[in-house]
Amino acid sequence: MIVLKTGRELTLMREACRISAGALKVIEQAIEPGITTGELDRIAEKYILSQGAKPNFKGYHGYPATACISINNEVIHGIPSVTRKINAGDIVSVDLGATINGYHGDNAATFAVGDISAEAKRLIDTTRESLYEGIKMARAGGRTGDIGYAIQSYVEARGFSVVREYVGHGVGTALHESPEVPNFGTPGRGVRLLPGMTLAIEPMINIGKPNVKVMPDGWTVLTCDGSLSAHFEHTIVITPDGPQIMTKL
Ligand code: MF3
Ligand code: CO
């Protein structure tokens, strides 16, 4: 079932989205060579709790942390650890969310630490830009396939590939609601988009092949070919006047 949110519900949900965006910002400001992913996780959790919210990934299907922190060839769902140091030259994907008022926010970004290769920079820029291409198509009367097609065509024209096994999703009173929002697709296909829909759009893009595998820890998703991967995500709402990004400060 797809839930359309009323204005009152959106007001409550905006708070969760604002705190989610704030937590991503505090990680961005703290990230530097030598810091561990476990320390970054603690910083984000402290911030979310200080706002009166709760980290919504923690405990989700048994997930043990506030943030997912995925480095280089790790695509998503990397588990923070106080023994895992971030190095200059790494690209670091951070995904997290907060819940308050019974509503959820969800967002992600990939950060460059120190000097990174030109190719890594192009991957990060392309992934961020593809998210905005997808958001542009999140309009009442369109379909989820319009969003997926916009992301996929933007990314593939630049020689990168779209991960298929993980997709965007509805978000609201649950972290994951209907519909699924794939980062690939065909214009005019998929679920019809309506005002009041709140969606997490989240392209995961690889430099090499699209194939991914899960590590023995049961969470961390890696590229099969070892190539770098980037991830950006916003929670948006479809209004009668077009898409509005909710996870923005
Ligand atoms: N990052 C996922 C999303 O954006 C959700 C995280 S699953 C968790 O939809 F278990 F790691 F929390
Ligand atoms: Co999400």
Side-chain angles (χ1 to χ4, degrees):
M1 185 190 59
I2 298 174
V3 185
L4 304 177
K5 279 78 177 177
T6 64
R8 189 184 59 85
E9 292 170 314
L10 291 171
T11 301
L12 295 173
M13 187 163 156
R14 275 200 183 85
E15 185 80 348
C17 289
R18 183 187 60 76
I19 297 166
S20 302
L24 198 53
K25 192 68 175 173
V26 299
I27 287 200
E28 179 177 13
Q29 286 165 345
I31 202 165
E32 60 178 8
I35 197 165
T36 68
T37 58
E39 288 173 278
L40 291 174
D41 191 70
R42 282 298 301 268
I43 291 168
E45 177 164 28
K46 235 178 87 183
Y47 170 82
I48 290 169
L49 295 173
S50 78
Q51 300 296 303
K54 288 206 174 107
N56 53 3
F57 291 8
K58 206 168 197 172
Y60 186 84
H61 293 286
Y63 187 72
T66 290
C68 298
I69 305 183
S70 311
I71 304 177
N72 295 333
N73 60 315
E74 298 168 0
V75 181
I76 48 169
H77 299 171
I79 302 173
S81 159
V82 291
T83 63
R84 183 84 187 272
K85 270 197 168 73
I86 288 169
N87 299 308
D90 285 343
I91 68 169
V92 181
S93 298
V94 179
D95 185 355
L96 52 70
T99 182
I100 189 169
N101 304 326
Y103 286 86
H104 291 262
D106 188 3
N107 62 179
T110 300
F111 304 115
V113 180
D115 286 331
I116 61 166
S117 70
E119 187 73 339
K121 186 171 184 324
R122 205 168 68 88
L123 172 70
I124 292 175
D125 290 342
T126 299
T127 306
R128 185 194 313 101
E129 289 155 11
S130 78
L131 169 59
Y132 288 99
E133 292 299 309
I135 291 172
K136 261 193 245 167
M137 300 310 289
R139 305 190 147 271
R143 302 240 182 197
T144 53
D146 302 343
I147 298 173
Y149 177 78
I151 293 169
Q152 181 182 10
S153 53
Y154 190 85
V155 164
E156 291 180 352
R158 283 154 186 79
F160 299 134
S161 67
V162 173
V163 172
R164 310 301 163 101
E165 285 87 344
Y166 301 88
V167 297
H169 50 92
V171 51
T173 55
L175 175 59
H176 291 144
E177 296 184 348
S178 289
E180 289 195 342
V181 186
N183 301 299
F184 53 92
T186 306
R189 302 286 288 269
V191 170
R192 175 81 68 191
L193 302 174
L194 295 168
M197 272 189 186
T198 45
L199 304 175
I201 304 178
E202 50 176 320
M204 290 146 269
I205 306 302
N206 302 344
I207 284 188
K209 297 249 152 50
N211 314 67
V212 297
K213 60 184 178 191
V214 181
M215 267 174 52
D217 67 16
W219 282 104
T220 314
V221 177
L222 306 171
T223 58
C224 286
D225 62 8
S227 68
L228 297 179
S229 188
H231 180 208
F232 281 84
E233 175 177 30
H234 271 308
T235 298
I236 64 113
V237 56
I238 299 174
T239 79
D241 304 321
Q244 194 179 85
I245 297 173
M246 299 178 81
T247 41
K248 213 157 98 175
L249 290 175

